[in-house]
Amino acid sequence: MSIKQLDDASKAYRELLDKMASIDKKYSSTYQEQTLDAPETLGLEKLTYTMPTDDEIAEIARQYYAASKTKDEQNVNTSAAKQLQSIEAKAKSVLEKALEGQTKVEAGRKEDLKNADYSAQKRNLTNSSVRTGALQKVNDLADAAIATLERNKENSLAALDREKLNLDNLTKEQLAALEKIYEEKILSKIGELKEDAARQADSVAKYNNSVDEKEANYQKSLAKQLKDMEEKEWARVQRILELTEKLGATGVERQKEREKYEAAKRILDQYPPETAYEILTSTAAFSDNLGSSYDQLKSYYKNLTDRNK
């Protein structure tokens, strides 16, 4: 036999055995337990979602704005630090100018005292009240100048201290305003996050409910299919019992053999007679299944084979 003939024979062999088994089942008066050829469950997995706590949501909201809040606070503090640096530079300049002024006044005092004393000596007024008065005037003028310089210095430093205080107050106000702004932003974000969490929880619940519903419907469908199969099987058994009562066991057996014969012939007629003959004679399974009609069918294909030689 060619490879195709072998394939054909194998196919026909399986088809014949399946058909014989199907006919045996059809005529059996024994109830066959019914089973479904379907998965026991849809196997759909449910989603899990853990609702975050209020503290967790608040922390998420704070972290959401943490970077921008820190940056804004740094900008305020950096600006304040630059202004403070400028004020301190001004204070240093005031002190330096005051010291420079005092140094000049003292130098002037020294020079003026020297000149006044020299003038008194030239006029032979060394021990006179005129010399004393002149020296006193020089000292008074120098002391007044130094007092003016000290007063101006203190006034300037006091003004700069007020600037520092105002800057400190302004910085605190700006930081407090930022704190309030971000508190409002965080509260708003908390509201959004709670709404999102609620929607997520609702979405998961709806999906899980749909899974339960689909599974319940699937189980109902399986139960109905099984019930229909059982009812169909009981109806088949009932028909065979009624047929047996009508024809007798022997009559039912003859009818079954006749149906097997016709089914086998329909299948084998699709192949060349020599192939059909080889299939029939390849195993005792067909003689057991076909009974008395086996020899008849075998002779039929043997005669066709001989006639074609």
Side-chain angles (χ1 to χ4, degrees):
M1 295 176 68
S2 66
I3 293 177
K4 184 179 183 310
Q5 287 175 325
L6 287 172
D7 288 341
D8 290 343
S10 177
K11 179 182 176 183
Y13 177 81
R14 291 192 302 271
E15 188 178 0
L16 275 172
L17 288 180
D18 289 344
K19 190 62 178 176
M20 299 299 104
S22 173
I23 293 173
D24 282 334
K25 182 177 178 181
K26 175 183 175 181
Y27 280 91
S28 173
S29 60
T30 302
Y31 177 83
Q32 303 292 322
E33 195 67 34
Q34 300 298 295
T35 57
L36 290 172
D37 184 17
E40 294 181 358
T41 176
L42 289 175
L44 298 175
E45 292 187 7
K46 289 186 176 182
L47 299 177
T48 57
Y49 178 71
T50 302
M51 191 80 166
T53 65
D54 289 348
D55 288 343
E56 289 172 336
I57 288 177
E59 181 59 25
I60 292 171
R62 281 192 291 270
Q63 290 301 321
Y64 183 82
Y65 287 109
S68 59
K69 181 172 182 281
T70 298
K71 184 178 180 181
D72 288 344
E73 289 173 341
Q74 286 175 344
N75 289 338
V76 170
N77 289 324
T78 300
S79 176
K82 288 181 179 179
Q83 293 179 66
L84 179 60
Q85 187 178 20
S86 175
I87 293 171
E88 290 176 343
K90 289 178 182 178
K92 182 180 179 182
S93 176
V94 167
L95 291 172
E96 289 174 348
K97 286 180 180 179
L99 180 60
E100 182 183 349
Q102 289 177 0
T103 301
K104 286 181 179 180
V105 169
E106 291 297 339
R109 183 203 298 269
K110 184 176 180 181
E111 184 66 23
D112 289 344
L113 286 172
K114 181 179 178 182
N115 289 335
D117 187 52
Y118 178 74
S119 177
Q121 287 178 12
K122 282 186 69 176
R123 294 164 60 190
N124 293 317
L125 299 174
T126 303
N127 296 318
S128 68
S129 60
V130 173
R131 174 180 175 276
T132 303
L135 294 177
Q136 184 62 47
K137 184 178 180 181
V138 169
N139 282 323
D140 288 345
L141 289 173
D143 288 344
I146 288 175
T148 298
L149 287 172
E150 187 67 21
R151 185 168 57 253
N152 290 340
K153 180 189 75 172
E154 294 300 326
N155 289 338
S156 295
L157 291 176
L160 291 173
D161 283 341
R162 287 193 295 273
E163 280 190 43
K164 286 171 69 175
L165 181 61
N166 290 336
L167 175 61
D168 185 60
N169 290 334
L170 178 61
T171 301
K172 288 178 179 178
E173 289 175 3
Q174 290 176 331
L175 290 174
L178 277 178
E179 192 67 32
K180 185 176 180 180
I181 289 171
Y182 277 99
E183 281 180 2
E184 292 174 354
K185 286 185 175 182
I186 288 170
L187 284 175
S188 176
K189 191 65 179 177
I190 286 172
E192 292 178 11
L193 292 172
K194 284 185 175 181
E195 289 178 2
D196 290 343
R199 280 194 294 269
Q200 181 71 5
D202 183 60
S203 175
V204 169
K206 286 181 179 178
Y207 175 80
N208 288 341
N209 288 337
S210 72
V211 169
D212 289 337
E213 184 178 353
K214 289 176 181 178
E215 185 61 36
N217 290 335
Y218 181 69
Q219 293 302 323
K220 287 180 182 177
S221 174
L222 290 182
K224 185 178 185 305
Q225 291 178 53
L226 184 59
K227 182 180 178 183
D228 291 344
M229 290 171 65
E230 290 172 342
E231 289 177 351
K232 186 176 180 181
E233 176 63 7
W234 280 118
R236 184 197 64 76
V237 171
Q238 183 63 32
R239 285 195 301 272
I240 294 302
L241 292 175
E242 291 174 355
L243 184 64
T244 302
E245 185 176 350
K246 178 181 178 182
L247 301 179
T250 304
V252 170
E253 189 64 26
R254 280 199 299 268
Q255 181 170 314
K256 181 175 72 171
E257 285 188 6
R258 183 63 186 174
E259 189 168 331
K260 284 184 175 182
Y261 172 85
E262 292 172 352
K265 189 172 184 302
R266 279 195 302 273
I267 293 171
L268 293 172
D269 278 347
Q270 301 174 52
Y271 303 96
E274 60 273 17
T275 301
Y277 181 79
E278 288 182 11
I279 292 170
L280 271 179
T281 57
S282 63
T283 174
F286 296 126
S287 63
D288 295 339
N289 269 286
L290 292 170
S292 60
S293 61
Y294 172 75
D295 290 333
Q296 179 184 351
L297 195 59
K298 186 175 69 171
S299 298
Y300 171 75
Y301 288 112
K302 181 68 169 66
N303 291 335
L304 287 178
T305 300
D306 293 342
R307 194 180 307 162
N308 290 338
K309 288 183 180 179

